[in-house]
Amino acid sequence: MSTIVVVGAGVSGLTCALQLANQGGNIITVVAKHMPGDYDAEYTSPFAGANVLPMALEYNRWEGETWPVLKALAEAVPEAGIHFQKSVLYRRAKDEAAAFAGPLSDGLFVRNPWFKDLMPDYVDLPASELPEGMSSASSFTSVCINTAIYLPWLVGQCRARGVVFKRAVLKHISDAEKLSHTGRKPDIIINATGLLSCRLGGVMDKKVIPARGQVVVVRNEAAGNMVCTSGTDDGNDDELCYIMQRAAGGGTILGGTYMKGNWDGVPDPNIANRIMKRAVEACPALTGGKGIEALDVIRHAVGLRPYREGGVRIEKEKIDGTWVVHNYGHGGWGYQGSWGCAFRVQELVDEIKSELKVGSKL
Ligand code: FAD
């Protein structure tokens, strides 16, 4: 048996812990400053929509290998809090002309994307169905995850497989050496500390910065459609318009922003007004045509996405004599890439285990 300490109880840490527990042969402790149930802007996972809108420019295994798992959960595991939603992406003429230089300047809005073969029912909408200002649109079947159900579900699945959860605030990643519930020094530490990996001793990754996401959560429902547009006209360049309805009474998320380098965890009322106005314009069915006043607000919120210059970091590194597998820096795609990343973490854990076994025989 290998002793493993996972640092972090966001979607990345929990998915890794569950994957490693499913694999067997591991004694796992999850330690974290924040746990599901907590709300703090620097603990990103509870604030996500969360849906699957692939963002990579070309196929990558993170998103490609996660979709089948989330789809299977939506089909067969209602207690995970995931349901299918039709997703419509609208591309504005000006964004297409500028080759999508906006905040989500990635693969989401390109025409004929690689994920048209991944996501069910992918079609381009006819010109007759385009709202004013939009030059093209595509729709496909996706999912929306109620994070308030899914994160505790992941915890429950881990606990059912013997994973032990502990609160701890680490100053240095090597502090995890003393935190296995077995009392033994772990063979492997998984670093899934998200945004705070920029401040964690032994990691201090300066490529990691927040991408501030402000949202409004409302009781209104969006008639079964998720909507996302490639840009907005009435705010700053780092503002977005998206709508998604969470499963199982989780309300509808209206977004949003993608403000790189901004640590402000307090919702800005002016941005909130613009988010609500755009959402009602993009989807009048939200309020039955009665306008913004008919939105029934549950809360305004801000989460800080763990953006990393150059992309996610998933690799192994020996720190103070112990193997650490890093899995952080997922920006705005932590859920939709969670299983693909956890599969890679497991491969790295397996590599380390066989190395440790060889070493112990010498
Ligand atoms: P986190 O959830 O931040 O978890 C980090 C964990 O590490 C926490 O438990 C924390 O307490 C712990 N930790 C950190 N430092 C320490 C320390 N020193 N000691 C102990 N513990 C520590 N993604 C999607 O896939 N689809 C979406 O639709 C989507 N929408 C989003 C909308 C918004 C508004 C936001 C803000 C994000 C969205 N995301 C979405 C992105 C997604 O939420 C993140 O990529 C993901 O949650 C990152 O998860 P994580 O586990 O890496 O980090």
Side-chain angles (χ1 to χ4, degrees):
M1 296 292 269
S2 301
T3 306
I4 297 180
V5 171
V6 177
V7 187
V11 69
S12 306
L14 295 175
T15 312
C16 286
L18 181 51
Q19 177 57 24
L20 294 168
N22 279 336
Q23 183 194 19
N26 300 311
I27 303 172
I28 302 164
T29 315
V30 174
V31 298
K33 179 177 178 186
H34 305 96
M35 292 282 179
D38 299 347
Y39 281 93
D40 187 315
E42 65 186 28
Y43 175 36
T44 318
S45 293
F47 296 100
N51 65 6
V52 174
L53 296 178
M55 292 180 189
L57 271 170
E58 48 193 41
Y59 175 85
N60 77 27
R61 67 176 291 194
W62 319 137
E63 294 179 331
E65 292 180 5
T66 299
W67 170 250
V69 183
L70 296 179
K71 179 168 171 281
L73 290 173
E75 278 164 352
V77 187
E79 62 271 31
I82 303 177
H83 69 172
F84 289 110
Q85 288 266 285
K86 184 175 160 194
S87 184
V88 187
L89 297 178
Y90 290 107
R91 306 177 193 92
R92 302 190 310 172
K94 63 170 86 165
D95 297 326
E96 294 212 75
F100 303 108
L104 290 181
S105 52
D106 46 32
L108 178 58
F109 291 106
V110 294
R111 291 203 198 193
N112 284 319
W114 64 272
F115 60 82
K116 71 182 192 312
D117 299 323
L118 180 75
M119 305 306 287
D121 313 316
Y122 187 100
V123 286
D124 291 323
L125 299 191
S128 59
E129 289 181 26
L130 297 180
E132 211 187 313
M134 300 297 166
S135 49
S136 68
S138 308
S139 83
F140 52 91
T141 297
S142 181
V143 292
C144 186
I145 303 167
N146 184 341
T147 63
I149 296 178
Y150 185 60
L151 294 171
W153 179 81
L154 287 172
V155 172
Q157 294 300 304
C158 286
R159 280 173 56 81
R161 289 159 178 77
V163 176
V164 173
F165 285 78
K166 286 171 50 164
R167 288 270 182 178
V169 182
L170 282 66
K171 287 204 164 65
H172 194 284
I173 189 68
S174 299
D175 294 348
E177 289 183 4
K178 297 186 199 76
L179 292 173
S180 167
H181 67 278
T182 61
R184 289 197 298 272
K185 183 172 176 283
D187 301 302
I188 301 166
I189 297 166
I190 311 294
N191 171 27
T193 52
L195 176 62
L196 295 183
S197 56
C198 69
R199 294 181 181 160
L200 180 62
V203 183
M204 292 284 186
D205 189 336
K206 294 302 164 214
K207 289 184 186 159
V208 176
I209 57 168
R212 180 181 183 275
Q214 180 168 334
V215 294
V216 184
V217 189
V218 297
R219 293 188 179 83
N220 311 66
E221 300 200 331
N225 274 358
M226 299 192 287
V227 174
C228 188
T229 67
S230 65
T232 61
D233 277 326
D234 57 349
N236 301 316
D237 286 347
D238 46 16
E239 295 181 26
L240 312 163
C241 175
Y242 62 84
I243 302 165
M244 59 182 97
Q245 187 182 316
R246 280 179 169 175
T252 300
I253 307 290
L254 313 180
T257 62
Y258 199 93
M259 305 164 94
K260 284 189 202 161
N262 188 326
W263 283 89
D264 187 357
V266 179
D268 175 325
N270 295 311
I271 293 177
N273 276 342
R274 291 197 286 275
I275 289 173
M276 293 188 288
K277 180 169 159 282
R278 287 177 203 133
V280 170
E281 277 168 13
C283 181
L286 256 180
T287 54
K290 291 184 189 148
I292 184 172
E293 294 81 5
L295 284 175
D296 187 357
V297 176
I298 300 170
R299 66 177 171 274
H300 295 273
V302 172
L304 303 174
R305 300 175 184 88
Y307 175 82
R308 184 170 186 268
E309 199 63 56
V312 68
R313 183 177 184 206
I314 306 184
E315 61 187 13
K316 57 182 178 171
E317 180 188 12
K318 215 173 224 179
I319 301 179
D320 295 342
T322 302
W323 279 111
V324 175
V325 177
H326 299 286
N327 179 22
Y328 65 83
H330 305 82
W333 54 270
Y335 282 84
Q336 65 199 37
S338 54
W339 284 96
C341 293
F343 296 148
R344 179 61 189 145
V345 166
Q346 191 204 302
E347 287 169 5
L348 293 169
V349 164
D350 288 345
E351 282 176 22
I352 295 167
K353 280 190 194 176
S354 41
E355 207 175 298
L356 291 174
K357 221 180 282 169
V358 171
S360 67
K361 282 186 194 146
L362 293 177

XYZ file of all heavy atoms in Angstrom, residues 200-268:
495
model
N 2.174 29.119 -1.938
C 2.535 27.965 -1.106
C 4.048 27.719 -1.171
O 4.607 27.548 -2.261
C 1.767 26.725 -1.618
C 2.001 25.411 -0.891
C 1.576 25.491 0.576
C 1.240 24.283 -1.603
N 4.675 27.697 0.007
C 6.116 27.446 0.074
C 6.495 26.160 -0.657
O 5.754 25.182 -0.615
N 7.623 26.183 -1.355
C 8.066 25.013 -2.114
C 7.475 24.964 -3.512
O 7.923 24.200 -4.353
N 6.436 25.780 -3.746
C 5.804 25.836 -5.076
C 5.932 27.278 -5.607
O 6.587 27.512 -6.621
C 4.313 25.415 -5.026
C 3.716 25.406 -6.427
C 4.175 24.023 -4.393
N 5.274 28.229 -4.904
C 5.393 29.669 -5.208
C 5.398 29.934 -6.715
O 6.298 30.581 -7.247
C 6.684 30.236 -4.603
C 6.701 30.270 -3.102
S 5.704 31.622 -2.480
C 6.052 31.508 -0.728
N 4.378 29.437 -7.397
C 4.355 29.530 -8.857
C 3.826 30.900 -9.284
O 2.624 31.162 -9.231
C 3.476 28.409 -9.419
C 3.583 28.300 -10.926
O 3.938 29.313 -11.561
O 3.315 27.208 -11.455
N 4.714 31.752 -9.725
C 4.322 33.127 -10.073
C 3.572 33.200 -11.407
O 3.073 34.265 -11.790
C 5.554 34.051 -10.114
C 6.193 34.236 -8.746
C 5.192 34.802 -7.725
C 5.650 34.649 -6.279
N 4.557 34.423 -5.323
N 3.515 32.087 -12.110
C 2.711 32.079 -13.348
C 1.215 31.980 -13.034
O 0.383 32.100 -13.914
C 3.097 30.877 -14.213
C 4.464 30.998 -14.845
C 4.663 29.803 -15.749
C 6.061 29.789 -16.290
N 6.428 28.452 -16.742
N 0.879 31.682 -11.764
C -0.529 31.527 -11.390
C -1.079 32.854 -10.880
O -0.513 33.451 -9.952
C -0.696 30.438 -10.304
C -2.149 30.344 -9.848
C -0.226 29.096 -10.836
N -2.157 33.291 -11.514
C -2.819 34.538 -11.085
C -4.344 34.304 -11.102
O -4.823 33.379 -11.757
C -2.473 35.739 -12.009
C -2.861 35.421 -13.468
C -1.004 36.120 -11.904
C -2.831 36.639 -14.388
N -5.087 35.165 -10.387
C -6.546 34.992 -10.438
C -7.120 35.497 -11.756
O -6.604 36.446 -12.347
C -7.038 35.873 -9.278
C -5.972 36.901 -9.108
C -4.670 36.264 -9.492
N -8.185 34.833 -12.210
C -9.022 35.380 -13.287
C -10.405 35.526 -12.638
O -11.146 34.551 -12.497
C -9.048 34.453 -14.492
N -10.682 36.740 -12.223
C -11.855 37.005 -11.366
C -13.166 36.738 -12.114
O -13.398 37.273 -13.196
C -11.804 38.469 -10.911
C -12.940 38.902 -10.023
C -12.770 40.382 -9.677
N -13.786 40.842 -8.761
C -14.986 41.256 -9.131
N -15.310 41.263 -10.401
N -15.863 41.660 -8.230
N -14.008 35.911 -11.490
C -15.289 35.586 -12.110
C -16.434 36.045 -11.234
O -16.624 35.523 -10.136
N -17.156 37.052 -11.702
C -18.330 37.519 -10.946
C -19.590 36.913 -11.559
O -19.738 36.873 -12.784
C -18.409 39.045 -10.984
C -19.613 39.567 -10.207
C -19.582 41.064 -9.978
O -18.506 41.677 -9.953
N -20.751 41.650 -9.774
N -20.501 36.467 -10.705
C -21.749 35.858 -11.196
C -22.932 36.346 -10.353
O -22.757 36.877 -9.258
C -21.708 34.305 -11.125
C -20.684 33.727 -12.073
C -21.472 33.811 -9.705
N -24.118 36.145 -10.917
C -25.359 36.359 -10.181
C -26.105 35.023 -10.225
O -26.244 34.433 -11.305
C -26.226 37.462 -10.834
C -27.469 37.741 -9.979
C -25.416 38.736 -11.045
N -26.530 34.548 -9.069
C -27.299 33.296 -9.028
C -28.764 33.664 -8.807
O -29.089 34.381 -7.851
C -26.805 32.369 -7.892
C -27.475 30.997 -8.008
C -25.301 32.226 -7.916
N -29.637 33.185 -9.715
C -31.059 33.553 -9.631
C -31.941 32.303 -9.565
O -31.507 31.208 -9.928
C -31.483 34.424 -10.850
C -30.715 35.733 -10.869
C -31.291 33.665 -12.169
N -33.178 32.523 -9.076
C -34.135 31.410 -9.014
C -34.813 31.159 -10.360
O -35.339 30.081 -10.587
C -35.196 31.701 -7.948
C -34.625 31.717 -6.547
C -35.682 31.815 -5.461
N -35.033 31.791 -4.163
C -34.498 32.857 -3.567
N -34.590 34.044 -4.124
N -33.880 32.748 -2.408
N -34.791 32.152 -11.238
C -35.441 32.008 -12.557
C -34.787 30.867 -13.336
O -33.603 30.591 -13.153
C -35.281 33.300 -13.363
C -35.666 34.518 -12.562
O -35.002 34.839 -11.582
N -36.717 35.178 -12.958
N -35.552 30.277 -14.219
C -35.002 29.176 -15.012
C -34.908 29.571 -16.483
O -35.694 30.401 -16.961
C -35.846 27.925 -14.814
C -35.836 27.538 -13.332
C -36.212 26.110 -13.061
O -36.979 25.538 -13.852
O -35.717 25.575 -12.047
N -33.942 28.951 -17.176
C -33.589 29.423 -18.520
C -34.143 28.542 -19.625
O -33.561 28.422 -20.692
C -32.081 29.531 -18.635
N -35.265 27.909 -19.370
C -35.970 27.131 -20.386
C -35.086 26.053 -21.023
O -35.160 25.796 -22.224
C -36.537 28.064 -21.466
N -34.240 25.427 -20.199
C -33.479 24.274 -20.675
C -32.285 24.578 -21.554
O -31.581 23.678 -21.983
N -32.017 25.847 -21.834
C -30.890 26.187 -22.712
C -29.782 26.890 -21.935
O -30.059 27.759 -21.124
C -31.336 27.164 -23.800
C -31.910 26.444 -24.988
O -31.937 25.219 -25.021
N -32.365 27.211 -25.957
N -28.532 26.509 -22.226
C -27.413 27.323 -21.753
C -26.997 28.202 -22.924
O -27.006 27.764 -24.079
C -26.244 26.449 -21.326
C -26.602 25.524 -20.177
S -25.185 24.736 -19.426
C -24.721 23.530 -20.657
N -26.638 29.438 -22.632
C -26.298 30.398 -23.684
C -24.934 30.995 -23.358
O -24.624 31.244 -22.185
C -27.361 31.530 -23.734
C -26.952 32.609 -24.720
C -28.728 30.967 -24.088
N -24.122 31.217 -24.375
C -22.833 31.887 -24.163
C -22.525 32.700 -25.414
O -22.661 32.188 -26.538
C -21.754 30.828 -23.934
S -20.170 31.491 -23.451
N -22.179 33.966 -25.249
C -21.858 34.794 -26.414
C -20.363 35.116 -26.422
O -19.708 35.120 -25.380
C -22.656 36.117 -26.412
O -22.216 36.905 -25.318
C -24.148 35.867 -26.295
N -19.856 35.399 -27.596
C -18.400 35.575 -27.729
C -17.912 36.928 -27.231
O -16.707 37.138 -27.118
C -17.982 35.384 -29.188
O -18.550 36.395 -30.000
N -18.803 37.849 -26.910
C -18.352 39.147 -26.409
C -19.534 39.988 -25.969
O -20.696 39.596 -26.125
N -19.235 41.129 -25.362
C -20.293 42.051 -24.922
C -19.938 43.452 -25.396
O -18.764 43.761 -25.632
C -20.418 42.059 -23.393
O -19.177 42.507 -22.841
C -20.744 40.692 -22.837
N -20.978 44.305 -25.517
C -20.755 45.661 -26.038
C -20.784 46.731 -24.960
O -20.271 47.808 -25.149
C -21.868 46.001 -27.042
C -21.551 45.433 -28.407
O -20.347 45.396 -28.742
O -22.478 45.018 -29.099
N -21.396 46.427 -23.830
C -21.727 47.489 -22.886
C -20.805 47.555 -21.678
O -21.095 48.250 -20.710
C -23.173 47.283 -22.403
C -23.349 45.908 -21.787
O -22.430 45.075 -21.933
O -24.388 45.669 -21.152
N -19.710 46.795 -21.690
C -18.821 46.812 -20.525
C -17.370 46.803 -20.967
O -17.024 47.284 -22.052
N -16.523 46.220 -20.118
C -15.105 46.129 -20.456
C -14.835 44.839 -21.245
O -15.668 43.935 -21.280
C -14.280 46.138 -19.172
C -14.548 47.402 -18.381
O -14.592 48.498 -18.942
N -14.769 47.248 -17.085
N -13.655 44.765 -21.829
C -13.311 43.612 -22.670
C -13.279 42.308 -21.887
O -13.336 41.230 -22.477
C -11.940 43.817 -23.325
C -12.030 44.838 -24.445
O -13.171 45.165 -24.834
O -10.973 45.311 -24.898
N -13.114 42.409 -20.546
C -13.016 41.169 -19.766
C -14.368 40.752 -19.186
O -14.439 40.009 -18.216
C -11.953 41.278 -18.666
C -12.050 42.580 -17.890
O -13.105 43.244 -17.991
O -11.082 42.920 -17.183
N -15.455 41.229 -19.817
C -16.793 40.820 -19.381
C -17.405 39.872 -20.403
O -17.118 39.942 -21.596
C -17.670 42.056 -19.160
C -17.141 42.898 -17.999
C -17.973 44.129 -17.698
O -19.179 44.124 -17.993
O -17.393 45.087 -17.158
N -18.259 38.971 -19.890
C -18.819 37.901 -20.714
C -20.328 37.843 -20.514
O -20.852 38.448 -19.588
C -18.269 36.533 -20.266
C -16.774 36.385 -20.064
C -16.494 35.143 -19.237
C -16.112 36.252 -21.424
N -20.990 37.087 -21.366
C -22.413 36.832 -21.146
C -22.656 35.329 -21.276
O -22.456 34.753 -22.343
C -23.264 37.582 -22.162
S -25.014 37.176 -22.014
N -23.001 34.700 -20.149
C -23.377 33.289 -20.219
C -24.460 32.973 -19.188
O -24.586 33.663 -18.171
C -22.160 32.355 -20.072
C -21.421 32.445 -18.756
C -21.850 31.733 -17.647
C -20.279 33.217 -18.638
C -21.164 31.802 -16.448
C -19.586 33.295 -17.440
C -20.030 32.578 -16.340
O -19.357 32.657 -15.155
N -25.231 31.958 -19.499
C -26.358 31.554 -18.657
C -26.344 30.042 -18.567
O -26.199 29.367 -19.595
C -27.698 31.984 -19.311
C -27.728 33.491 -19.534
C -28.900 31.538 -18.467
C -28.840 33.929 -20.480
N -26.462 29.508 -17.351
C -26.601 28.043 -17.243
C -27.450 27.691 -16.037
O -27.341 28.317 -14.986
C -25.231 27.360 -17.183
C -24.357 27.768 -16.048
S -22.752 26.953 -16.107
C -21.732 28.194 -16.898
N -28.298 26.715 -16.247
C -29.209 26.303 -15.175
C -28.664 25.058 -14.496
O -28.474 24.017 -15.123
C -30.583 26.016 -15.760
C -31.631 25.752 -14.689
C -32.970 25.425 -15.323
O -33.378 26.085 -16.266
N -33.629 24.406 -14.825
N -28.409 25.182 -13.182
C -27.855 24.051 -12.437
C -28.915 22.971 -12.209
O -30.101 23.277 -12.112
C -27.338 24.521 -11.078
C -25.976 25.184 -11.141
C -25.574 25.621 -9.769
N -24.169 26.027 -9.707
C -23.613 26.536 -8.617
N -24.331 26.710 -7.528
N -22.344 26.871 -8.621
N -28.420 21.742 -12.061
C -29.323 20.614 -11.822
C -29.972 20.714 -10.445
O -29.435 21.358 -9.533
C -28.515 19.311 -11.904
N -31.116 20.080 -10.313
C -31.739 19.789 -9.010
C -31.995 21.037 -8.161
O -31.630 21.095 -6.982
C -30.875 18.778 -8.239
N -32.605 22.040 -8.762
C -32.995 23.223 -7.995
C -31.841 24.115 -7.586
O -31.964 24.895 -6.629
N -30.738 24.018 -8.294
C -29.543 24.797 -7.929
C -29.567 26.232 -8.423
O -28.608 26.973 -8.216
N -30.665 26.650 -9.061
C -30.745 28.015 -9.580
C -30.033 28.144 -10.918
O -29.487 27.167 -11.456
N -30.063 29.359 -11.444
C -29.427 29.623 -12.739
C -28.274 30.600 -12.515
O -28.419 31.594 -11.806
C -30.453 30.212 -13.723
O -31.506 29.252 -13.888
C -29.836 30.499 -15.078
N -27.124 30.283 -13.113
C -25.938 31.129 -12.977
C -25.910 32.103 -14.153
O -25.949 31.684 -15.315
C -24.644 30.276 -13.028
C -24.689 29.131 -12.014
C -23.406 31.149 -12.847
C -24.599 29.520 -10.588
N -25.821 33.385 -13.850
C -25.648 34.406 -14.882
C -24.223 34.949 -14.757
O -23.805 35.367 -13.684
C -26.651 35.555 -14.688
C -28.118 35.187 -14.422
C -28.956 36.451 -14.248
C -28.672 34.328 -15.553
N -23.499 34.891 -15.867
C -22.122 35.385 -15.807
C -21.903 36.437 -16.886
O -22.758 36.626 -17.747
N -20.827 37.058 -16.815
C -19.755 36.898 -15.869
C -18.600 37.809 -16.265
O -18.667 38.672 -17.135
N -17.488 37.504 -15.672
C -16.246 38.239 -15.969
C -15.074 37.257 -16.022
O -15.161 36.152 -15.481
C -15.929 39.294 -14.886
O -15.732 38.616 -13.635
C -17.038 40.322 -14.746
N -13.988 37.676 -16.638
C -12.739 36.911 -16.667
C -11.616 37.937 -16.556
O -10.964 38.299 -17.523
C -12.647 36.112 -17.969
C -11.668 34.959 -17.920
C -12.091 33.682 -17.582
C -10.312 35.149 -18.207
C -11.207 32.613 -17.535
C -9.413 34.093 -18.156
C -9.875 32.824 -17.827
O -8.993 31.761 -17.781
N -11.436 38.446 -15.311
C -10.547 39.601 -15.094
C -9.205 39.123 -14.546
O -9.059 38.877 -13.342
C -11.230 40.569 -14.118
C -12.623 40.978 -14.596
S -13.632 41.719 -13.303
C -13.293 43.414 -13.604
N -8.244 39.023 -15.462
C -6.938 38.475 -15.075
C -6.198 39.423 -14.134
O -6.123 40.636 -14.386
C -6.098 38.231 -16.314
C -6.507 37.001 -17.076
C -5.480 36.717 -18.163
C -6.069 35.860 -19.252
N -5.331 35.920 -20.496
N -5.617 38.864 -13.074
C -4.803 39.647 -12.141
C -5.610 40.370 -11.085
O -5.041 41.063 -10.250
N -6.939 40.217 -11.099
C -7.804 40.949 -10.166
C -8.182 40.045 -8.985
O -8.849 39.030 -9.158
C -9.057 41.416 -10.919
C -9.912 42.344 -10.090
O -10.004 42.195 -8.870
N -10.540 43.301 -10.746
N -7.758 40.451 -7.755
C -7.985 39.629 -6.551
C -9.249 40.051 -5.795
O -9.504 39.553 -4.694
C -6.796 39.749 -5.597
C -5.588 38.959 -5.988
C -4.561 39.358 -6.783
C -5.263 37.603 -5.577
N -3.620 38.352 -6.910
C -4.025 37.275 -6.170
C -5.893 36.658 -4.776
C -3.411 36.028 -5.983
C -5.279 35.417 -4.581
C -4.056 35.110 -5.184
N -10.035 40.971 -6.319
C -11.167 41.512 -5.564
C -12.280 40.469 -5.429
O -12.929 40.101 -6.413
C -11.696 42.766 -6.277
C -12.759 43.470 -5.464
O -13.120 42.958 -4.383
O -13.231 44.528 -5.922
N -12.546 40.037 -4.200
C -13.551 39.006 -3.961
C -14.942 39.557 -3.704
O -15.868 38.802 -3.409
N -15.090 40.894 -3.821
C -16.396 41.509 -3.530
C -17.119 41.788 -4.855
O -16.545 42.393 -5.763
C -16.198 42.832 -2.744
C -17.540 43.500 -2.467
C -15.454 42.557 -1.449
N -18.406 41.379 -4.968
C -19.134 41.651 -6.216
C -19.255 43.154 -6.479
O -19.520 43.933 -5.567
C -20.516 41.038 -5.954
C -20.312 40.048 -4.858
C -19.199 40.592 -4.010
N -19.044 43.547 -7.724
C -19.177 44.952 -8.130
C -20.621 45.157 -8.608
O -21.052 44.515 -9.571
C -18.165 45.204 -9.264
C -18.276 46.600 -9.855
O -19.413 47.125 -9.931
O -17.247 47.147 -10.268
